[in-house]
Amino acid sequence: MGGDLRDHKGWTSVVTAGTSRDCKTWVCRALQSGSRKTRYEGCCVAMGRSFWGVRDAMGLVGGRAERRGRSAGAGLGPAGVSATHAQVAPPLDFHRPSTNFTTPIGIFDGQSDIGSALVPGSASYDATSGAYTINSAGYNVWYTRDEFRYLWKKMSGDISLAADIAFPDPKGYGDRNAVLVIRQNLDDDSQEAIVALHGLGMIHLAERPEKDVRVKDMEYRIGGRGRPGGASPDSLVPVMAKRIGIEKRGDSFALFVSLEGEPMHQFGPPIQLHLEAPFFVGIGFCSHLPTTSDTAVFSNVVLENAAGPVH
């Protein structure tokens, strides 16, 4: 078996039967074959779409497509779904080494492509404005492994980290995520606490409590009626937070938010996570598309070796 396989859902894949290789453009492993029953497993990147799991010529036969997505304007879950994009968890044994750079950038000691996304990331710092611009592709910051560009500093003790966030391209994928992350190390499956602002406005506080386990979170989707942009005064219009922050106080990690420039205030309960010192603290971005880079801008970044300054 080999060549092109197109299923009824419009997925296109280049199949190399009997092989299993890294997800470069799209290669996979044939699990079994038979009339209309050929099955393939791996990572697909085709026609701007991505898919982890098992497919055959009849469609999805294994794995689990995440269905927490919402239509434009209503937000998307961390495992995003739209008319042209679906994700399931990668195989449990799939990992890629991160690509690390130790050249300082702004207040950070270095930067990394965590999980080495298929398209290398980049970052720049404007010393005049204090803004960090991060360009990155990446499958997700979720499941049992991450792919994102990460600007980091090695630290210990209590931490306050906050930033204003903007997405310059208004047409970017709705589940792209700008993140503030405190991680144990630079591996793609590291323990971590994450605060994220997604492209359509969803905010979450998430954790990977142990290495190589799935992320869990608490999510917030915020909207209001009678606001500009609605079809009518009764339309629910998403509200994008202006600023997000994460505070580490001992083993407690809390999400702080400013929706419209008001003082930062805590959203929801904190999580409990123990990290050994030193650990990594920083900002990052993931386009949520394996082969398509996008951009996030972080400004007015506050990073303090104490709990409290995000307030």
Side-chain angles (χ1 to χ4, degrees), residues 70 80-81 84 96 101 106 141 143 147 179 188 198 263 285 297 306 310:
R70 302 221 178 4
V81 174
T84 60
R96 273 198 298 261
F101 307 90
V141 183
Y143 302 120
E147 290 183 5
V179 295
D188 67 352
H198 292 66
F285 175 65
V297 177
V310 294

Side-chain angles (χ1 to χ4, degrees), residues 132-182:
Y132 297 84
T133 299
I134 303 179
N135 308 296
S136 182
Y139 191 71
N140 211 337
V141 183
W142 193 250
Y143 302 120
T144 55
R145 65 178 300 272
D146 304 329
E147 290 183 5
F148 70 108
R149 188 71 167 197
Y150 183 45
L151 280 56
W152 48 261
K153 185 178 183 68
K154 255 188 172 180
M155 302 182 73
S156 302
D158 290 345
I159 302 294
S160 292
L161 174 62
D164 295 357
I165 293 172
F167 300 108
D169 181 2
K171 297 181 179 179
Y173 184 61
D175 211 29
R176 56 190 168 174
N177 45 85
V179 295
L180 312 180
V181 188
I182 303 178

Side-chain angles (χ1 to χ4, degrees), residues 212-235:
D212 200 27
V213 303
R214 187 175 175 126
V215 168
K216 57 184 180 180
D217 74 349
M218 181 71 74
E219 302 176 1
Y220 305 92
R221 294 171 176 84
I222 304 160
R225 305 184 193 277
R227 303 174 64 91
S232 77
D234 294 324
S235 298

